[in-house]
Amino acid sequence: MLTGEYPPQPGGVSDYSRLVARELALRGAEVHVWAPGAAGETREDGVTVHRAPGLFTPLGLVGLTRGLERCRRPRRLLLQYVPHAFGLKAMNLPFCAWFAARRQDERWVFFHEVVYPWHRGDPLRRQVLAGTTRLMVRLVAGAADRTFVSIPAWAEHLPAKSRRHTEWRPVPSNLPTEVDPSVVARVREELGTGPLLGHFGTYGAGTSGPLERVLVPLLSAHPRHRVLLLGRGSQSWLEGLARRRPELSPRLLARDSLPPTELAAHLQACELLIQPYPDGVSTRRGTTMASLALGRPLVTHTGHLTEPLWRELGAVELVEGTAPETLARAAERLLSQPEKLAALGARAAEVYRERFSLERTMEVLLNPAPSAEGERP
C-alpha cells in the first residue's frame, strides 16, 4: 500500500489506510505500507510499515523502488490517491510517472480525491495546479489495472477507458462499530442529563457557519437541549461560539481528539447527529459512516456530490439543499418523534452493514475485478 498519510499522522485517509491494511493482514495477506514520515520500519498489527521523509519526491522514489524490489513477487500496489498528499505542492508528476511505469506490478488505485477544481478567471497559479492534477490523474488511472472511487463524481475526471471499469467503493467507518453498553452508560453519566445533540467533524470553514446557524436556534428554542461537539478542532470552535453566544455556553460540550473507542462511545451517547457538509452528504464522508455504523440517527442535506442512494435507502433524515434553517427544522421534527428517531437509527445500522461496512470493502479487495462495469455499493 502506498499512501500519503498513515498513523500517527492525522486524517481520514490515514485512518482508512490503517483500517484496510490491518484487515487485509488479518485475512492472511502479506501487507507492506509505505508512507512519508521519520525513517524507519515497524511491525504493527501484522502490517510492515515503512516510513521515509520525502518518500514520493524524485529522490525518495529511489529508496521506494529498492524497498519494493525486496518484496517477493507477484506484487500488488494499492495506491491511496490524494494529490496533495504526495508533496511538490500537489503537482507531483514524477511520482505519477513512476507509478505508471511499474509494469512489473499489478496496480490498483483508490481515488479519495482526484483533481483541483478549475474555474474560469482563476489566478494563473490555480489554473496551473488544476491542469497539473488532471494530467496526474490521466497518468495514474491510465496505467492502473483496477480503479476505485469513493464517490461516483470522481469517475468523471478519469480517462474514458478507465471510467468504464471504475468501481464505486464507499469508505467504511474508521471507528469501532460496536461499543460496550457499560462504556456508553459511563459516558452519558459524565456528560449529564438532557437531550444531547451531536456533531462530528473537523470544523472547517465550509461547515462552521452552517453548523452554527443550525445549532443556535435549536438550543435557543429548547432550554434542556445540549450539544456535544466531537472531532479535532471541536474545543476551539466551542470557545468561539461561546464568545459569540455566551448564554448558550453552559450547554456546549466538546471532546477534542478522543481515542477511537472513546469517540465511538461519545457518538453512541448522542440522541441525534447533525451533519452539514459544504458539498452535501456522500459516501466519502467518514463522519457519516461512523454515525451509521453505530446506529445513530442523523440529519443531513444534499449537495452537488450527494449520490441518489441517499434518497432511496432511508438511512438518514435527508434535507434537500444546503439551507441551515431547513436542517434545523428537520432536526426539531425528529426530536419530537422518539419512535421515528429510533427507527431511523435502526435503519442506519442495517444499511451500513449491507452497503458500506469494512466487510464489503474486503469482498472487493480480495476478489478479482468484475468482468462487467463497476459495481454499485
Side-chain angles (χ1 to χ4, degrees):
M1 181 183 292
L2 309 177
T3 178
E5 54 184 48
Y6 198 82
Q9 291 172 291
V13 174
S14 175
D15 294 338
Y16 172 86
S17 297
R18 179 168 61 181
L19 182 73
V20 170
R22 284 177 169 178
E23 190 66 19
L24 286 170
L26 186 65
R27 295 178 183 232
E30 180 182 343
V31 182
H32 293 258
V33 173
W34 270 268
E41 179 181 310
T42 58
R43 185 80 171 167
E44 304 171 12
D45 299 305
V47 177
T48 304
V49 182
H50 311 260
R51 295 183 176 89
L55 179 67
F56 300 121
T57 63
L59 183 60
L61 290 175
V62 175
L64 176 56
T65 300
R66 290 172 181 163
L68 287 175
E69 293 305 321
R70 287 195 291 268
C71 294
R72 60 189 177 90
R73 297 186 182 187
R75 295 183 294 256
R76 175 182 297 160
L77 304 185
L78 177 57
L79 173 61
Q80 307 297 334
Y81 190 92
V82 182
H84 64 260
F86 303 133
L88 300 189
K89 298 182 178 180
M91 295 186 288
N92 198 338
L93 282 169
F95 168 69
C96 296
W98 172 89
F99 183 83
R102 296 288 303 181
R103 295 182 180 86
Q104 67 272 45
D105 298 322
E106 189 178 9
R107 291 158 294 178
W108 290 12
V109 185
F110 191 107
F111 289 97
H112 295 271
E113 296 180 15
V114 186
V115 296
Y116 186 82
W118 178 84
H119 302 287
R120 189 181 300 275
D122 277 347
L124 179 59
R125 60 184 178 83
R126 291 188 180 179
Q127 296 201 34
V128 170
L129 176 58
T132 303
T133 56
R134 282 159 175 77
L135 180 55
M136 290 165 61
V137 160
R138 289 187 173 278
L139 277 170
V140 169
D145 299 288
R146 196 173 182 185
T147 51
F148 307 92
V149 289
S150 57
I151 56 173
W154 291 163
E156 298 171 7
H157 299 285
L158 305 184
K161 183 179 178 181
S162 304
R163 196 183 311 148
R164 288 194 295 271
H165 304 289
T166 292
E167 301 164 58
W168 175 17
R169 180 43 37 205
V171 300
S173 171
N174 291 328
L175 299 182
T177 56
E178 296 181 0
V179 185
D180 186 331
S182 65
V183 176
V184 179
R186 185 257 301 165
V187 168
R188 284 181 174 145
E189 185 177 356
E190 291 174 355
L191 294 174
T193 58
L196 192 63
L197 311 179
H199 175 77
F200 178 27
T202 55
Y203 306 87
T207 301
S208 295
L211 181 62
E212 181 171 345
R213 292 196 293 275
V214 173
L215 294 181
V216 168
L218 283 172
L219 291 176
S220 300
H222 300 279
R224 292 187 63 248
H225 287 177
R226 297 169 305 129
V227 170
L228 175 61
L229 304 166
L230 299 167
R232 287 184 295 271
S234 58
Q235 183 62 43
S236 175
W237 194 80
L238 180 153
E239 291 167 1
L241 180 58
R243 284 193 297 271
R244 293 186 294 274
R245 302 299 298 257
E247 75 279 10
L248 301 180
S249 180
R251 291 186 285 147
L252 301 176
L253 306 167
R255 298 294 184 269
D256 201 313
S257 302
L258 290 172
T261 301
E262 282 292 304
L263 180 51
H266 281 72
L267 278 172
Q268 191 83 64
C270 296
E271 273 85 358
L272 176 65
L273 276 297
I274 298 173
Q275 297 293 137
Y277 299 108
D279 47 19
V281 67
S282 68
T283 53
R284 76 186 184 109
R285 292 294 182 180
T287 49
T288 289
M289 293 301 173
S291 304
L292 298 185
L294 291 164
R296 290 297 81 205
L298 184 149
V299 60
T300 186
H301 59 80
T302 62
H304 69 278
L305 292 183
T306 298
E307 304 92 346
L309 65 77
W310 295 105
R311 297 181 179 90
E312 301 163 2
L313 295 177
V316 300
E317 184 73 8
L318 189 65
V319 171
E320 294 292 335
T322 58
E325 299 77 13
T326 312
L327 201 60
R329 287 195 294 270
E332 190 153 16
R333 284 195 305 271
L334 270 178
L335 289 165
S336 68
Q337 300 174 295
E339 290 184 1
K340 184 176 181 180
L341 204 62
L344 184 62
R347 178 59 179 161
E350 178 186 16
V351 167
Y352 179 81
R353 288 192 302 269
E354 292 177 352
R355 296 292 189 111
F356 305 138
S357 66
L358 182 59
E359 285 71 21
R360 304 290 84 78
T361 299
M362 289 300 110
E363 288 171 1
V364 171
L365 294 182
L366 293 173
N367 285 289
S371 56
E373 290 189 1
E375 302 173 321
R376 286 180 62 85

